[in-house]
Amino acid sequence: MTETADSLSFKKLKWHCRRGMLELDVLLEPFLDEIYLTLDEQDKQRFQKLIECEDQEIFPWFMQKEVPEDPDLARIVDIIVTRVQPDRH
């Protein structure tokens, strides 16, 4: 079954993108709405893994102060940051 913006799994992800930090909300929610459904299955799984992390763990990744040790998390963080700052590379 194809995942859509109306599917239960997508709605659950949307709920989990609402974080305790506004800085993360403005990154994760638009990414979910605009990009997530276009990702391949592996990157979708990486995003889901990212959403399970704690705010204080992922915040430095998005501020580019740290890089995740997990290569899967590093990849999805890079995808999100590149979307926000496409001229960064």
Side-chain angles (χ1 to χ4, degrees):
M1 186 164 97
T2 304
E3 191 170 29
T4 68
D6 293 323
S7 65
L8 182 58
S9 60
F10 186 86
K11 289 179 181 181
K12 285 182 179 180
L13 272 178
K14 187 149 181 87
W15 178 256
H16 289 289
C17 283
R18 295 181 182 143
R19 311 301 290 210
M21 299 177 79
L22 178 62
E23 295 88 349
L24 296 176
D25 290 350
V26 299
L27 288 171
L28 298 175
E29 288 186 55
F31 182 83
L32 180 72
D33 291 338
E34 299 167 12
I35 306 297
Y36 176 80
L37 292 174
T38 68
L39 297 174
D40 65 34
E41 195 56 42
Q42 289 178 325
D43 285 337
K44 285 181 180 179
Q45 291 174 3
R46 289 178 180 109
F47 184 79
Q48 293 168 14
K49 185 176 183 179
L50 175 72
I51 293 301
E52 294 173 9
C53 297
E54 297 292 327
D55 288 359
Q56 60 270 24
E57 184 178 13
I58 65 176
F59 182 74
W61 301 341
F62 287 115
M63 298 300 107
Q64 301 173 319
K65 303 286 186 199
E66 297 177 14
V67 175
E69 290 181 20
D70 182 319
D72 286 332
L73 292 174
R75 174 172 166 77
I76 196 65
V77 167
D78 186 59
I79 290 170
I80 295 168
V81 169
T82 299
R83 179 200 168 269
V84 174
Q85 302 174 344
D87 296 334
R88 179 179 71 93
H89 292 332

